[in-house]
């Protein structure tokens, strides 16, 4: 028995989606399977080949109602009327020990929402999505995760000709801010309500049914978004395409495109080479998160007064700031709340910026600063004086030093996904060698371990990778 069942979304009125089948590949090939996730979903008894056949559409599950979703959204600040799953498909859902989980296929062929696209995804981009989902998950950042990549011998044209591939991914939801915008801007307030009710009923862990349920709905989305973005900021993650159609209403990171983990600390970092204005620069993410929430609030205006929207949007800043402060305190092992802490944290960020220090490694090596005057990164005069303040501040902490080291190493990763690492795995995979991909997964799923045999992945990017350009094309 295959436990994938029709998605509850398929019960919504017909305007919400298009029911359809999808196009598998003629010569599908397994690129990678996520055995860990498979187990978490209780799918471990389904053989790899069988799962591949299901996702490729060659083995059908009875009564399934695969569908592509209708949505719109704001892209780079402009409203775009017709988006939708142009190459994606909600296959169904699985009841797992963690609750209901969506199963979605990306790159499954054309849909009514494909516009000028071919409905396909390329191997390069699905590998990037797979890797990042696992990396984020291991850092405890809410994210969609991939279950399998299916490769093919089909060629599609991007900036150059590339092989097509399909990604089977899981997420708690595929409802985006843009699903609400679609009905709001199409003058269908009754469907905005239907969709809000759907979310409130289907995701009870997120949405309270007390008081004004729509206010509580919006409040929760704003909260989850603020928390998610604080987590991005603390880990140096730059999403790259924070359009409202890429924002999950449950605050899960998803629709990975030209993302990047910042290497040298640079608030103005822009991972997406198509983003010429830097709208989605690292330092703008908190503000864009709020901007996106206000776009959602506007789309909910048939359910929420302007006052209520305003009041709820005002909660964003506090939730964001307090979550980020908490995360930074953990990174520096500051358990007691002291008035000088914010200055101490900012002082470190300023040094990282002016001295172009690697964000991840500077934090990771801070454990050495507990006792030494310098760490590999913090060796300038100004950095040394910062270390003295840090050590002084640490005297107010009661935790024994060995415990401090352990707890800092549990929040400051040794390994992050640097773009060059993904690129090397992609280059090999394009030559049908998937071993580098498997190795990377082993590293990224254990980012806090020392992993002696994988030291090189903790190094800064090599010179050849400094100019790696990652754009929207995928
Ligand atoms: P994304 O940049 O992946 O978030 O996609 C933005 C919009 O473009 C979504 O509506 C996608 O479904 C659509 N899209 C992206 N790539 C393709 C493609 N190759 N074929 C059809 N639609 C696409
Ligand atoms: Mg998208």
């Amino acid at each position: 028995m295959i436990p994938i069942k029709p998605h509850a979304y398929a019960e919504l009125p017909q305007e919400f989606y298009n029911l359809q089948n999808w196009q598998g590949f003629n010569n599908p090939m397994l690129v990678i399977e996520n055995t860990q996730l498979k187990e978490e979903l209780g799918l471990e008894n389904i053989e790899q080949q069988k799962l591949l056949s299901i996702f490729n559409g060659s083995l059908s599950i009875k009564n399934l109602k695969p569908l592509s979703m209708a949505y719109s959204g704001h892209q780079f600040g402009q409203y775009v009327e017709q988006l939708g799953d142009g190459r994606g498909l909600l296959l169904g859902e699985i009841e797992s020990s963690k609750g209901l989980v969506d199963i979605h296929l990306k790159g499954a062929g054309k849909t009514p929402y494909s516009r000028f696209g071919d409905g396909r995804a390329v191997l390069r981009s699905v590998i990037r999505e797979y890797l990042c989902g696992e990396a984020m998950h291991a850092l405890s950042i809410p994210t969609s995760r991939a279950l399998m990549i299916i490769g093919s011998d089909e060629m599609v044209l991007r900036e150059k000709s590339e092989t097509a591939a399909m990604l089977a991914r899981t997420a708690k939801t595929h409802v985006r801010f843009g699903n609400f915008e679609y009905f709001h801007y199409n003058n269908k307030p009754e469907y905005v309500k239907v969709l809000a009710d759907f979310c409130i009923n289907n995701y009870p862990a997120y949405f309270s049914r007390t008081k004004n349920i729509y206010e509580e709905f919006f409040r929760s989305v704003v909260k989850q978004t603020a928390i998610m973005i604080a987590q991005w900021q603390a880990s140096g993650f730059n999403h790259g395409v924070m359009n409202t159609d890429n924002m999950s209403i449950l605050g899960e990171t998803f629709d990975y495109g030209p993302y990047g983990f910042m290497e040298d600390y640079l608030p103005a970092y822009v991972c997406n080479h198509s983003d010429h204005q830097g709208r989605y620069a690292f330092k703008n993410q908190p503000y864009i998160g709020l901007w996106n929430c206000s776009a959602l609030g506007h789309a909910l205006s048939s359910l929420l007064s302007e006052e209520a929207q305003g009041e709820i949007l005002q909660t964003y800043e506090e939730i964001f700031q307090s979550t980020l402060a908490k995360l930074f305190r953990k990174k520096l092992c500051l358990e007691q709340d002291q008035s000088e802490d914010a200055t101490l944290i900012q002082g470190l960020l300023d040094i990282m910026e002016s001295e172009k220090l690697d964000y991840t490694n500077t934090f990771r090596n801070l454990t050495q600063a507990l006792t030494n005057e310098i760490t590999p990164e913090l060796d300038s005069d100004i950095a040394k004086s910062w270390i003295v303040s840090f050590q002084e501040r640490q005297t107010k902490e009661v935790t024994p030093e060995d415990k401090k080291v352990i707890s800092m190493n549990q929040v400051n990763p040794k390994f992050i996904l640097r773009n060059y690492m993904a690129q090397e795995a992609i280059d090999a995979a394009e030559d049908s060698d998937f071993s580098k991909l498997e190795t990377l997964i082993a590293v990224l799923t254990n980012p806090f371990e020392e992993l002696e045999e994988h030291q090189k992945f903790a190094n800064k990017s090599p010179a050849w990778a400094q100019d790696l350009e990652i754009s929207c094309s995928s």
Side-chain angles (χ1 to χ4, degrees):
M1 240 283 284
I2 293 147
I4 306 176
K5 57 177 194 176
H7 200 286
Y9 206 81
E11 302 303 313
L12 289 170
Q14 214 220 304
E15 285 80 353
F16 282 66
Y17 54 81
N18 183 61
L19 284 182
Q20 62 181 81
N21 269 314
W22 71 102
Q23 287 165 284
F25 296 124
N26 291 332
N27 296 306
M29 151 182 51
L30 180 77
V31 172
I32 190 167
E33 181 190 47
N34 192 336
T35 43
Q36 199 189 337
L37 179 60
K38 198 174 165 187
E39 237 170 76
E40 286 173 35
L41 295 174
L43 301 176
E44 65 276 14
N45 294 328
I46 303 178
E47 283 167 51
Q48 198 172 70
Q49 206 51 43
K50 193 164 177 189
L51 204 55
L52 185 145
S53 302
I54 293 167
F55 294 146
N56 196 51
S58 18
L59 182 70
S60 62
I61 302 178
K62 257 213 304 302
N63 303 327
L64 216 52
K65 290 182 176 169
L67 60 92
S68 50
M69 285 178 162
Y71 55 85
S72 60
H74 279 85
Q75 297 195 318
F76 292 90
Q78 301 295 319
Y79 183 66
V80 181
E81 199 165 271
Q82 175 81 71
L83 293 167
D85 287 332
R87 53 169 168 177
L89 196 97
L90 187 60
L91 186 61
E93 57 191 346
I94 291 186
E95 180 96 56
S96 80
S97 56
K98 292 179 180 162
L100 284 171
V101 177
D102 285 5
I103 304 284
H104 177 101
L105 299 175
K106 186 166 185 172
K110 284 190 186 174
T111 76
Y113 313 108
S114 297
R115 296 174 291 162
F116 305 108
D118 53 19
R120 290 299 190 196
V122 298
L123 184 62
R124 165 178 56 88
S125 76
V126 298
I127 288 178
R128 284 176 52 83
E129 176 154 353
Y130 188 109
L131 287 171
C132 203
E134 291 312 286
M136 297 288 268
H137 178 70
L139 298 173
S140 299
I141 303 175
T143 179
S144 63
R145 288 176 75 190
L147 195 50
M148 185 177 272
I149 294 178
I150 302 177
S152 78
D153 53 11
E154 218 174 283
M155 301 306 283
V156 290
L157 194 63
R158 294 295 179 264
E159 272 125 13
K160 55 181 180 124
S161 178
E162 296 190 50
T163 41
M166 213 186 313
L167 181 83
R169 78 173 175 201
T170 62
K172 288 203 179 111
T173 188
H174 279 80
V175 178
R176 306 144 192 267
F177 290 13
N179 295 65
F180 286 93
E181 292 179 289
Y182 177 75
F183 291 119
H184 174 74
Y185 288 100
N186 279 305
N187 260 321
K188 294 268 168 29
E190 65 279 20
Y191 286 152
V192 172
K193 182 173 180 302
V194 169
L195 186 55
D197 289 337
F198 171 84
C199 294
I200 293 162
N201 288 328
N202 276 265
Y203 310 115
Y206 287 83
F207 304 121
S208 140
R209 301 181 128 279
T210 54
K211 293 188 275 184
N212 183 322
I213 60 167
Y214 302 116
E215 284 182 19
E216 294 312 300
F217 168 72
F218 187 48
R219 196 180 298 284
S220 171
V221 180
V222 168
K223 178 180 167 190
Q224 298 305 332
T225 304
I227 293 174
M228 172 184 77
I229 292 173
Q231 289 174 295
W232 293 359
Q233 299 309 107
S235 62
F237 176 76
N238 187 205
H239 182 283
V241 199
M242 289 176 70
N243 293 334
T244 55
D245 54 302
N246 290 338
M247 301 290 292
S248 151
I249 53 129
L250 300 183
E252 270 191 324
T253 316
F254 85 148
D255 266 13
Y256 291 100
Y259 67 82
F261 281 89
M262 192 165 58
E263 297 202 41
D264 291 351
Y265 181 66
L266 178 67
Y269 175 62
V270 181
C271 62
N272 178 358
H273 280 79
S274 320
D275 181 6
H276 305 294
Q277 313 286 326
R279 178 181 171 86
Y280 298 140
F282 178 75
K283 65 175 176 188
N284 290 349
Q285 295 186 138
Y287 158 73
I288 294 290
L290 177 59
W291 193 94
N292 288 342
C293 286
S294 76
L296 175 65
H298 185 70
L300 295 171
S301 48
S302 53
L303 300 173
L304 290 180
S305 69
E306 261 181 47
E307 294 71 48
Q309 284 175 48
E311 181 263 312
I312 294 164
L313 287 170
Q314 270 186 17
T315 63
Y316 178 95
E317 172 87 17
E318 208 285 312
I319 298 169
F320 169 76
Q321 293 294 357
S322 62
T323 308
L324 185 59
K326 205 164 75 194
L327 293 168
F328 273 134
R329 302 177 66 78
K330 282 207 163 148
K331 289 174 89 65
L332 293 182
C333 202
L334 308 173
E335 281 182 40
Q336 324 282 328
D337 205 337
Q338 302 279 322
S339 58
E340 75 256 36
D341 290 351
T343 315
L344 188 73
I345 293 164
Q346 191 56 49
L348 178 61
L349 294 175
D350 290 345
I351 293 169
M352 281 193 214
E353 183 178 359
S354 62
E355 299 185 12
K356 301 190 170 53
L357 303 183
D358 187 88
Y359 183 77
T360 305
N361 293 347
T362 303
F363 274 112
R364 179 71 179 188
N365 292 328
L366 268 187
T367 50
Q368 297 180 39
L370 291 171
T371 47
N372 295 340
E373 263 136 56
I374 55 170
T375 82
E377 285 74 24
L378 298 168
D379 59 356
S380 69
D381 286 345
I382 177 160
K384 282 182 204 160
S385 92
W386 183 87
I387 289 183
V388 173
S389 338
F390 176 62
Q391 288 171 341
E392 259 171 38
R393 171 63 185 80
Q394 282 296 336
T395 60
K396 297 179 185 161
E397 295 293 330
V398 292
T399 317
E401 196 179 297
D402 53 340
K403 291 252 169 64
K404 285 182 183 172
V405 172
I406 292 172
S407 74
M408 285 171 81
N409 281 342
Q410 280 169 348
V411 290
N412 294 315
K414 168 135 186 170
F415 302 102
I416 51 149
L417 178 55
R418 297 171 193 266
N419 269 333
Y420 88 92
M421 291 157 56
Q423 193 57 47
E424 284 182 344
I426 291 165
D427 291 342
E430 283 175 344
D431 286 333
S432 304
D433 168 8
F434 308 127
S435 61
K436 287 198 171 162
L437 183 54
E438 298 280 1
T439 307
L440 257 196
I441 287 296
V443 173
L444 296 171
T445 50
N446 291 292
F448 302 108
E449 304 299 319
E450 277 301 313
L451 307 183
E452 296 302 336
E453 71 279 27
H454 294 306
Q455 288 304 304
K456 63 169 188 178
F457 290 119
N459 296 339
K460 290 170 75 157
S461 289
W464 66 262
Q466 305 292 326
D467 305 320
L468 254 185
E469 293 202 351
I470 312 288
S471 73
C472 272
S473 149
S474 63

